[in-house]
């Protein structure tokens, strides 16, 4: 019978009156009923019994259908929950992939910038080298023309002695033998003629001969073979060969070698007027002279003779070396910094001029409003500047280790290092930090503050790391056994602390600016009707426009923070920022009034804020925003359940005053007499 009822009920369309009529007809059309009907009698008891049984059957059938519907609803609900879990997992994976993509994109941009910079540097280096090679080839040909051929009557020793005096010798024709050599000679003659037209009268031959002497006459390669041949001859001729050999070596050092070195170090000018080329030549010549002296020890000479001769040659230069080196480094570092500021279009301000004039340059240099797009986000720090200064300092320390006496080595090395720290840290890095701090807005931050200072922090950390490497690799080995060692380490720690204090002040100011902008967005975009709409329509409850704007801004700021900070610095910055954001959002929520629909909106808003902070993985911040989210539920629960929610795990430890303040924000606080729950 139940199956028959089910078939009739599933008919489309279904008519209840027809169903009752059919049921009554079946009850009166049975075999017994027909007989009664033929006799004209009506049995209401039978009809009642039939209807009663049908009602029971339909109730049983309804219970079965209800259980079936419930099972289907549970299955559909579980499928829906599984679907949303999959969606949440895919969203998290998408966020991770997007973050990694941005990191890779940033790394690719930095690598590309460095490659471009290295290409420019290589081009800047290769061009002078090519010109120098061409000039060298020109002077080689010119020296070839000026060198007289050897006389047939001269012996091997005569040729060697004359080679020391004349610095060269060849017996090939002046213009060459082959057509190719003659063509090259003609090209050289034409170039020399053009050069001679640009020189004053009478200076052509003197100037070009001097250039040839500077480039061609490297006597160090000729002295040892000459001394070896001279020693063989002296031992055959003289009775006291050692004395003669000593005088021969003295004549070489005090004659041609000294003349050659002096011509290379100060050709027609003062020592102070020379820059990097002078110090490079001084270091190379002094190193070669020491190597030459080591080679000449095999000729049984006095052990103190060669060091005395070397000192006599370089004494005038070594006495003024450290003062000239320090002056050169100061000028060099100042030029590097000034050239960088010119590329940034920035005029460096002195501390005495105050920060008022500096603010006029901040918007253009640090990406303020109205700045060109290609300059936005740039800082007054560049790793290339630091690398240039560190490279020059490393080279200077290498020269210092060779050219300084053992007593003055540690002091001279520390002076060079102090020049570097003064120029790189005090004048360059600290100035960039101060400018970056000054560029952070204060007060009511109506526009999103630029996060350029985070890049300053990242670049400063890189510079300090490079400086630390130079200190341990190049300076400490020179002062490790001197009294300067502890002083250098102490001054380095103090310098790092000063830089860290500046960075901490800037980060503190940046956090304040971020929170001030969040407060401005909430104040400007949050409407009173967001949390107290005229109609309590829960179906339209969702995140407000102010929440969307704040979350969008915090997401951008978080990505920049993760790009520039790491380790303990990142954790401390997030902790301070999250704590202040919690205070800012809480103060904003306490100024509003909420009805049922508005309470659902604020719960959605706080949940979005909580998602942003949960991504930082800091338990304290997660606990703060979880508690705030639970507090917002007090605005939505029914008055009968308020006491139960207040005694929950997350709210049990809170002050009753905080709970009372939140409940007072409900629109039904007075009408429902909710204050009685806290008396």
């Amino acid at each position: 019978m139940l199956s028959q009822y089910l078939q009739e009920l599933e008919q489309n369309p279904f008519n209840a009156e027809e169903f009752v009529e059919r049921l009554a007809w079946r009850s009166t059309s049975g075999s017994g009923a027909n007989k009664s009907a033929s006799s004209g009698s009506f049995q209401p008891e039978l009809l009642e019994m039939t209807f009663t049984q049908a009602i029971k059957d339909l109730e049983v059938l309804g219970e079965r259908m209800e259980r079936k519907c419930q099972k289907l609803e549970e299955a559909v609900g579980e499928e829906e929950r599984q679907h949303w879990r999959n969606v949440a997992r895919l969203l998290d994976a998408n966020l991770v992939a997007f973050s990694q993509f941005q990191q890779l994109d940033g790394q690719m941009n930095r690598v590309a910038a460095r490659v471009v910079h290295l290409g420019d540097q290589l081009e800047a280096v290769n061009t002078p080298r090519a010109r120098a090679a061409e000039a060298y080839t020109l002077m080689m040909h010119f020296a070839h023309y000026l060198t007289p051929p050897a006389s047939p009557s001269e012996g091997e020793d005569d040729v060697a002695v004359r080679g020391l005096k004349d610095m060269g010798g060849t017996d090939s024709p002046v213009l060459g033998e082959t057509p190719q050599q003659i063509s090259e000679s003609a090209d050289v003659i034409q170039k020399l003629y053009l050069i001679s037209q640009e020189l004053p009268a009478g200076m052509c031959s003197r100037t070009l001969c001097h250039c040839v002497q500077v480039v061609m006459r490297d006597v160090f390669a000729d002295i040892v073979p000459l001394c070896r041949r001279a020693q063989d001859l002296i031992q055959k001729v003289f009775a006291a060969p050692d004395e003669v050999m000593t005088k021969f070596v003295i004549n070489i050092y005090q004659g041609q070698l000294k003349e050659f070195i002096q011509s290379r170090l100060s050709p027609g000018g003062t020592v102070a007027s020379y820059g990097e080329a002078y110090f490079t030549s001084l270091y190379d010549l002094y190193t070669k002279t020491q190597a030459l002296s080591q080679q000449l020890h095999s000729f049984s000479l006095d052990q103190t003779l060669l060091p005395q001769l070397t000192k006599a040659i370089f004494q005038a230069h070594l006495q003024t070396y450290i003062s000239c080196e320090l002056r050169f480094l100061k000028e060099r570092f100042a030029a590097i910094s000034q050239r960088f500021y010119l590329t940034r279009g920035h005029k460096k301000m002195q501390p005495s001029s105050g920060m008022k004039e500096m603010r006029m340059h901040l918007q253009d240099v640090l990406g303020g409003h109205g700045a060109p797009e290609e300059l936005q986000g740039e800082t007054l720090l560049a790793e290339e500047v630091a690398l240039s200064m560190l490279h020059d300092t490393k080279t200077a320390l290498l020269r210092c280790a060779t050219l300084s006496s053992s007593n003055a080595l540690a002091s001279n090395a520390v002076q060079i290092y102090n020049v570097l720290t003064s120029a790189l840290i005090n004048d360059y890095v600290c100035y960039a930090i101060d400018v970056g701090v000054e560029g952070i807005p204060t007060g009511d931050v109506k526009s999103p503050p630029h996060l350029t200072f985070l890049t300053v922090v990242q670049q400063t950390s890189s510079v300090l790391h490079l400086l630390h490497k130079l200190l341990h690799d190049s300076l400490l080995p020179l002062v490790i056994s001197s009294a300067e060692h502890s002083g250098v380490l102490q001054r380095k720690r103090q310098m790092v602390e000063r830089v860290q204090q500046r960075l901490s002040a800037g980060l503190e100011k940046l956090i304040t600016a971020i929170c001030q902008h969040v407060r401005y967005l909430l104040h400007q975009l949050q409407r009173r009707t967001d949390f107290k709409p005229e109609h309590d329509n829960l179906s339209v409850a969702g995140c407000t426009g102010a929440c969307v704007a704040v979350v969008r801004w915090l997401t951008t700021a978080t990505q920049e923070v993760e790009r520039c900070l790491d380790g303990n610095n990142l954790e401390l910055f997030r902790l301070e920022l999250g704590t202040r954001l919690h205070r800012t959002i809480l103060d904003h929520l306490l100024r509003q009034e909420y009805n049922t629909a508005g309470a659902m909106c604020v719960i959605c808003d706080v949940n979005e804020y909580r998602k942003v902070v949960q991504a930082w993985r800091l338990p304290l911040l997660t606990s703060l925003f979880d508690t705030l989210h639970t507090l917002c539920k007090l605005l939505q629960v029914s008055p009968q359940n308020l006491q139960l929610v207040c005694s929950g795990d997350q709210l049990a430890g809170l002050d009753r005053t905080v709970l009372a303040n939140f409940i007072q924000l409900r629109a039904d606080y007075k009408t429902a007499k909710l204050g009685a729950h806290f008396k």
Side-chain angles (χ1 to χ4, degrees):
M1 185 63 68
L2 292 178
S3 60
Q4 183 179 357
Y5 289 160
L6 184 61
Q7 292 177 359
E8 293 179 358
L9 292 174
E10 288 180 350
Q11 291 179 359
N12 190 15
F14 173 74
N15 192 318
E17 294 181 356
E18 293 180 358
F19 175 75
V20 173
E21 291 293 336
R22 285 195 300 272
L23 183 62
W25 179 82
R26 282 195 299 268
S27 63
T28 58
S29 298
S31 59
N34 291 335
K35 295 178 181 180
S36 299
S38 62
S39 61
S41 63
F42 175 70
Q43 297 180 357
E45 295 84 359
L46 178 61
L47 186 61
E48 180 186 7
M49 184 178 60
T50 303
F51 282 168
T52 302
Q53 184 61 36
I55 291 172
K56 292 181 180 180
D57 293 340
L58 290 175
E59 288 178 350
V60 172
L61 182 60
E63 291 177 356
R64 291 181 181 178
M65 297 302 295
E66 185 177 357
R67 287 194 297 271
K68 184 177 181 181
C69 291
Q70 186 177 2
K71 291 182 180 179
L72 291 176
E73 288 178 353
E74 291 177 356
V76 171
E78 179 62 26
E79 183 177 357
E80 181 182 7
R81 286 190 294 273
Q82 181 64 29
H83 170 73
W84 283 115
R85 284 194 294 270
N86 293 336
V87 170
R89 185 172 65 256
L90 292 175
L91 287 175
D92 294 338
N94 183 54
L95 288 176
V96 172
F98 182 71
S99 176
Q100 293 177 351
F101 172 76
Q102 286 190 325
Q103 292 178 1
L104 292 175
D105 185 61
Q107 292 178 357
M108 290 177 62
N109 291 336
R110 289 193 295 272
V111 171
R114 293 185 181 179
V115 169
V116 171
H117 177 73
L118 290 176
D120 294 340
Q121 287 185 334
L122 290 175
E123 183 178 0
V125 171
N126 289 334
T127 300
R129 285 182 177 177
R131 294 176 180 174
E134 185 178 357
Y136 176 77
T137 304
L138 180 64
M139 288 185 284
M140 286 286 291
H141 282 285
F142 188 61
H144 176 73
Y145 301 148
L146 298 179
T147 303
S151 174
S153 61
E154 289 181 333
E156 184 184 61
D157 294 333
D158 295 331
V159 172
V161 174
R162 186 174 60 82
L164 177 63
K165 295 181 180 180
D166 296 338
M167 307 301 173
T170 179
D171 54 359
S172 60
V174 173
L175 296 180
E177 298 177 348
T178 65
Q180 181 179 0
Q181 292 177 347
I182 296 175
S183 177
E184 292 177 357
S185 300
D187 182 60
V188 171
I189 293 172
Q190 181 183 10
K191 292 180 180 179
L192 292 175
Y193 175 76
L194 295 175
I195 293 175
S196 65
Q197 301 300 313
E198 303 294 332
L199 296 175
M203 290 187 60
C204 178
S205 59
R206 178 170 56 87
T207 303
L208 291 179
C209 287
H210 174 70
C211 294
V212 173
Q213 292 173 359
V214 171
V215 177
M216 293 294 295
R217 295 186 175 183
D218 188 358
V219 300
F220 296 99
D222 299 330
I223 289 178
V224 174
L226 176 62
C227 289
R228 188 173 289 110
R229 291 193 297 269
Q231 185 182 34
D232 295 339
L233 183 61
I234 289 172
Q235 288 177 350
K236 295 178 182 178
V237 175
F238 297 99
D242 293 341
E243 296 180 2
V244 176
M245 190 65 190
T246 300
K247 292 182 179 180
F248 181 74
V249 172
I250 292 175
N251 288 333
I252 292 177
Y253 269 72
Q254 294 181 347
Q256 286 82 3
L257 183 61
K258 182 177 181 180
E259 179 183 355
F260 170 74
I261 292 174
Q262 295 301 331
S263 66
R264 293 292 298 268
L265 293 179
S266 55
T270 60
V271 172
S273 64
Y274 287 85
E276 184 178 9
Y278 165 74
F279 293 105
T280 302
S281 298
L282 177 61
Y283 173 77
D284 292 341
L285 293 173
Y286 190 79
T287 304
K288 289 182 178 181
T289 304
Q290 286 185 324
L292 176 63
S293 299
Q294 291 293 332
Q295 293 178 340
L296 293 180
H297 278 311
S298 60
F299 291 98
S300 302
L301 301 175
D302 187 1
Q303 297 296 323
T304 61
L305 174 63
L306 296 178
Q308 292 176 357
L309 294 175
T310 302
K311 182 178 180 181
I313 295 174
F314 292 95
Q315 184 175 7
H317 302 282
L318 297 180
Q319 286 179 347
T320 60
Y321 159 69
I322 190 61
S323 60
C324 294
E325 182 78 85
L326 296 177
R327 182 168 58 251
F328 162 71
L329 290 176
K330 291 178 181 178
E331 295 174 355
R332 176 86 166 190
F333 294 159
I336 293 174
S337 300
Q338 186 62 29
R339 186 164 57 250
F340 168 75
Y341 291 137
L342 289 176
T343 61
R344 287 289 195 269
H346 174 74
K347 179 180 179 182
K348 186 175 182 181
M349 301 295 174
Q350 299 298 327
S352 59
S353 63
M355 303 302 291
K356 182 177 180 180
E357 296 182 5
M358 184 181 296
R359 293 191 184 97
M360 300 174 61
H361 300 276
L362 290 179
Q363 289 187 346
D364 292 335
V365 176
L366 299 181
H369 299 292
E373 184 178 355
E374 63 272 11
L375 292 179
Q376 291 187 5
E378 288 189 348
T379 67
L380 291 181
L381 277 179
E383 188 175 342
E384 292 78 9
V385 175
L387 290 175
S388 298
M389 292 185 181
L390 292 170
H391 174 73
D392 291 340
T393 304
K394 184 177 182 180
T395 306
L397 290 174
L398 182 63
R399 292 194 294 260
C400 176
T402 302
L403 301 177
S404 298
S405 62
S406 57
N407 296 331
L409 174 58
S411 176
N412 293 346
V414 171
Q415 291 184 66
I416 293 174
Y417 179 75
N418 290 339
V419 171
L420 171 67
T421 56
S422 177
L424 180 59
I425 303 301
N426 299 340
D427 296 341
Y428 183 65
V429 174
C430 289
Y431 176 76
I433 294 174
D434 293 340
V435 173
V437 173
E438 189 65 20
I440 301 174
T442 57
D444 293 335
V445 184
K446 298 182 180 180
S447 300
H450 288 285
L451 305 176
T452 310
F453 188 75
L454 293 173
T455 306
V456 174
V457 176
Q458 181 189 35
Q459 293 172 332
T460 302
S461 299
S462 300
V463 171
L464 291 178
H465 175 72
L466 293 173
L467 183 63
H468 177 80
K469 181 175 177 58
L470 174 75
L471 175 69
H472 285 268
D473 293 349
S474 299
L475 178 63
L476 291 185
L478 302 180
V479 301
I480 190 66
S481 59
S482 67
E484 299 283 351
H485 181 261
S486 59
V488 168
L489 295 179
Q490 182 179 2
R491 287 192 295 272
K492 189 252 185 181
R493 285 193 296 269
Q494 294 174 351
M495 175 193 65
V496 173
E497 290 176 358
R498 290 195 302 270
V499 174
Q500 289 177 345
Q501 290 175 358
R502 279 184 160 89
L503 294 176
S504 298
L507 292 175
E508 181 80 12
K509 190 176 180 182
L510 181 60
I511 291 174
T512 302
I514 293 175
C515 294
Q516 288 292 340
H517 184 61
V518 171
R519 181 178 286 107
Y520 173 78
L521 291 176
L522 293 174
H523 178 72
Q524 291 295 118
L525 301 180
Q526 197 81 74
R527 299 173 298 177
R528 288 288 181 181
T529 56
D530 288 343
F531 299 138
K532 192 178 180 183
E534 297 179 358
H535 304 286
D536 282 354
N537 188 0
L538 298 180
S539 62
V540 297
C543 295
T544 62
C547 172
V548 173
V550 169
V551 170
R552 184 185 302 115
W553 158 241
L554 289 178
T555 302
T556 302
T558 299
Q559 293 173 354
E560 187 66 14
V561 169
E562 293 175 349
R563 185 184 69 84
C564 298
L565 302 181
D566 57 5
N568 192 39
N569 293 333
L570 177 60
E571 182 176 345
L572 293 176
F573 185 89
R574 284 175 167 175
L575 183 61
E576 182 66 21
L577 177 60
T579 304
R580 294 198 187 183
L581 284 175
H582 176 266
R583 181 74 260 177
T584 301
I585 295 171
L586 179 61
D587 291 342
H588 173 72
L589 296 180
L590 290 175
R591 297 189 183 96
Q592 310 297 323
E593 188 175 1
Y594 308 87
N595 58 14
T596 304
M600 291 299 299
C601 291
V602 74
I603 290 174
C604 293
D605 285 1
V606 174
N607 187 52
E608 293 299 318
Y609 302 143
R610 184 175 61 169
K611 288 180 180 178
V612 174
V613 176
Q614 282 179 344
W616 299 353
R617 299 182 181 88
L618 295 177
L620 176 59
L621 296 182
T622 302
S623 176
L624 285 176
F625 279 85
D626 286 345
T627 303
L628 180 59
H629 187 262
T630 306
L631 279 172
C632 292
K633 293 181 180 179
L634 297 177
L635 305 172
Q636 187 262 341
V637 298
S638 61
Q640 295 80 7
N641 296 330
L642 269 178
Q643 200 66 32
L644 179 62
V645 176
C646 291
S647 60
D649 294 338
Q650 287 187 328
L651 302 181
L654 291 181
D655 189 356
R656 303 285 289 180
T657 306
V658 177
L659 301 178
N661 291 338
F662 248 86
I663 294 176
Q664 288 177 5
L665 303 177
R666 294 175 58 129
D668 60 347
Y669 177 76
K670 294 181 180 180
T671 58
K673 299 180 180 180
L674 301 180
H677 293 277
F678 297 92
K679 292 184 180 180

